Amino acid sequence: MADSINNNRAQFATRLGIIATTVGSAVGLGNIWRFPYEAGNNGGGAFLLCYILCIVILGIPVLCAEFAIGRSTQSNIFGAFRALKASGKWHWVGYIGILASIMILSFYSVVAGWTMEYLYQSIVGGLNFKNIDAFHSHFSTFSTSNWRPIMWTVLFLLCNYIIVVRGVKKGIEKMSNIMIPALFVLLIIFCINSLMMPNASEGLTFLFTPDFSKITPKVVVSALGQAFFSLSLGLGTMMTYGSYFSKDTHIVRSATITASLDTLVAILAGLIIFPAVFSFGMSPVQGPALVFEVLPSIFAQMPGGQIWSILFFFLLFLASLSSTISMSEVSIAFLSEEKKMSRTKASTLNLAVALVGGVLSALSFGYLSNLNFFGLFDINFFNFFDFTSSNILLPLGGMLISIFAGWILERSRLKDTLTNGGKIGVRTFSLLVLCLKYLAPICIMLIFLLGLGIF
Ligand code: TRP
């Protein structure tokens, strides 16, 4: 059975475009902001080891499954399950995806807003401090203030809106083609710079030497969440992107390249941050502030630091944008294709909901930082959105997608899609099926139970 190609649907123009766009979705704040701080909080090497295992055993197979379901049905996540005649409640995976994408968009825009503030400060020369403590207090003053973070969050969401409303091909593909390679080059330069710092080797030891006694349930759950977050998995983003693939895209190869480049960027970020952290005599356990304190301190010490800083924060801003565009695409494709809304209307609705979530998240560091829910528990919207989406909803979505691909989807259809109708050989097919059928669902379930303290 060949893929049904619907000619009215947008498609990515070139092979490079496909890789650049999926990598553009995957590479973002997840790699450069979230990975270093999660690794810092969770024991460095122990975290990296679990993270890489999750990428290889769970991430790549689920990524193949998302691409395959998307391309073979040429549809958004709801339409995809319907087209595959999935009886029962499979479309609920779509609702999980939409909920998660809105939560992520909310807190992600706040961090992207921080990036814009740092871009602005780099341009006006406002980041000229002498030591890391000054950068620390600069960041906490900024992030806990009430108006500036909100202003940048709103501005970022508007940028996202402007691109998203114009459609798939025009905006996303062109930008990613330039931005991803440029970001790569900058990261490599910074990496070399960090490795030459005094005490850099302590940072390398921290990142690359796993201390097995540090592998706790919390570390495993965080590594799984980070793997799914970083690969943009579990909520239908990659399914929606897969639906824009052409019929001769090599799915398994694209998935492997995407995952490798994404992991490489995360490791490069670690190689920039941790040598510097130890060189400055800091603790790696800094939470979300880590990158926003360490990176500007590195730039301040580099020759031509202001230019590097401007370039970097500009590219990070673009990388965030290419990720939020992909997140927004899930609900926009749903609203426009399932609910028959115009693209403009769908984008506006997406913007409105994200604005509410974004403002709540932005205030989580300042005005709403001590919010208490009727005296029952403390709630911090930023952490709540981040934790619930990354550590619960994405793995849950990923587990359901792998069960679907492994047990419900006709094997012949899966094979046909992955081999482009028999035109290319996929040697790893049985291994992939094994992962989707057994390994991924069982591992994710075990990690959940572990995280809930059931073991
Ligand atoms: N992967 C992106 C990053 O690392 C974030 C992202 C984009 C995402 N789309 C997603 C995360 C979908 C989860 C699901 O920055």
Side-chain angles (χ1 to χ4, degrees):
M1 191 194 316
D3 286 344
S4 51
I5 297 296
N6 172 352
N7 286 325
N8 296 325
R9 225 179 132 74
Q11 268 185 23
F12 293 137
T14 63
R15 227 185 336 161
L16 175 69
I18 288 173
I19 294 294
T21 321
T22 54
V23 175
S25 165
V27 170
L29 293 167
N31 310 61
I32 288 162
W33 159 74
R34 202 174 187 279
F35 172 80
Y37 104 68
E38 285 281 326
N41 280 358
N42 289 298
F47 179 84
L48 181 62
L49 179 69
C50 299
Y51 172 71
I52 290 182
L53 286 176
C54 288
I55 292 276
V56 175
I57 302 175
L58 313 173
I60 295 180
V62 176
L63 187 53
C64 289
E66 283 209 24
F67 282 166
I69 295 175
R71 193 188 59 186
S72 128
T73 55
Q74 302 279 300
S75 183
N76 67 76
I77 186 163
F78 288 83
F81 285 117
R82 183 159 11 85
L84 295 169
K85 306 220 175 14
S87 50
K89 303 263 176 248
W90 282 101
H91 60 280
W92 272 92
V93 180
Y95 293 128
I96 297 179
I98 288 183
L99 181 64
S101 74
I102 290 291
M103 285 188 168
I104 296 176
L105 191 56
S106 301
F107 77 85
Y108 203 92
S109 307
V110 175
V111 185
W114 296 347
T115 307
M116 291 171 87
E117 160 81 8
Y118 273 67
L119 172 60
Y120 168 77
Q121 291 295 345
S122 314
I123 294 172
V124 300
L127 295 172
N128 277 325
F129 306 112
K130 289 279 169 293
N131 57 47
I132 186 89
D133 296 329
F135 281 102
H136 175 75
S137 44
H138 176 83
F139 180 76
S140 41
T141 311
F142 160 67
S143 61
T144 55
S145 66
N146 287 331
W147 292 111
R148 266 183 105 78
I150 293 187
M151 173 188 86
W152 290 117
T153 305
V154 171
L155 218 62
F156 179 81
L157 282 169
L158 286 176
C159 295
N160 185 56
Y161 173 80
I162 290 168
I163 298 187
V164 147
V165 86
R166 297 176 58 215
V168 180
K169 235 198 259 175
K170 271 181 270 167
I172 310 172
E173 189 172 344
K174 257 191 227 151
M175 181 177 86
S176 302
N177 275 341
I178 306 166
M179 181 264 298
I180 293 288
L183 186 64
F184 238 83
V185 174
L186 270 201
L187 289 177
I188 290 176
I189 295 173
F190 298 155
C191 188
I192 297 172
N193 176 69
S194 278
L195 291 176
M196 292 188 320
M197 289 184 171
N199 292 335
S201 62
E202 269 182 66
L204 296 183
T205 311
F206 177 77
L207 186 59
F208 292 120
T209 318
D211 173 352
F212 290 96
S213 68
K214 290 217 172 104
I215 302 185
T216 59
K218 175 178 169 277
V219 171
V220 182
V221 172
S222 307
L224 177 70
Q226 176 62 23
F228 275 72
F229 187 89
S230 197
L231 286 181
S232 307
L233 285 182
L235 55 70
T237 297
M238 291 305 196
M239 208 181 275
T240 309
Y241 269 21
S243 75
Y244 303 132
F245 281 6
S246 76
K247 64 179 184 309
D248 43 36
T249 306
H250 193 323
I251 288 183
V252 179
R253 190 194 290 150
S254 305
T256 315
I257 296 178
T258 304
S260 313
L261 291 178
D262 183 65
T263 308
L264 185 63
V265 173
I267 293 178
L268 281 176
L271 282 173
I272 296 170
I273 298 291
F274 292 113
V277 161
F278 286 91
S279 179
F280 297 144
M282 287 168 80
S283 150
V285 189
Q286 303 284 340
L290 179 70
V291 169
F292 288 89
E293 296 174 4
V294 177
L295 280 174
S297 323
I298 300 179
F299 299 145
Q301 296 188 352
M302 282 172 80
Q306 190 180 0
I307 306 281
W308 293 121
S309 181
I310 294 173
L311 269 176
F312 176 77
F313 284 113
F314 179 61
L315 288 175
L316 188 55
F317 160 71
L318 291 184
S320 317
L321 206 49
S322 65
S323 299
T324 51
I325 291 165
S326 75
M327 262 171 240
S328 314
E329 199 58 30
V330 178
S331 30
I332 290 171
F334 165 70
L335 291 172
S336 56
E337 291 174 16
E338 297 294 305
K339 299 290 169 209
K340 307 289 173 228
M341 271 186 200
S342 68
R343 202 170 165 96
T344 312
K345 220 168 164 189
S347 312
T348 311
L349 188 58
N350 184 62
L351 171 70
V353 180
L355 277 174
V356 176
V359 170
L360 288 176
S361 306
L363 287 175
S364 300
F365 294 87
Y367 187 64
L368 295 181
S369 62
N370 293 314
L371 197 63
N372 191 281
F373 194 74
F374 300 118
L376 294 173
F377 51 84
D378 292 332
I379 180 161
N380 172 316
F381 283 105
F382 185 99
N383 291 340
F384 173 74
F385 289 154
D386 186 357
F387 184 87
T388 315
S389 57
S390 317
N391 292 0
I392 300 174
L393 297 178
L394 298 183
L396 184 65
M399 182 172 84
L400 295 173
I401 289 169
S402 64
I403 293 176
F404 184 82
W407 294 89
I408 314 274
L409 189 63
E410 279 167 56
R411 190 59 35 80
S412 58
R413 179 155 187 164
L414 183 66
K415 184 156 194 171
D416 196 71
T417 306
L418 291 177
T419 58
N420 294 347
K423 280 203 233 64
I424 48 173
V426 174
R427 265 174 292 145
T428 46
F429 185 71
S430 5
L431 194 64
L432 203 66
V433 170
L434 185 80
C435 282
L436 289 172
K437 233 176 141 156
Y438 302 103
L439 222 52
I442 293 173
C443 289
I444 297 174
M445 187 53 107
L446 281 180
I447 295 174
F448 269 140
L449 297 179
L450 206 77
L452 290 173
I454 292 182
F455 285 135

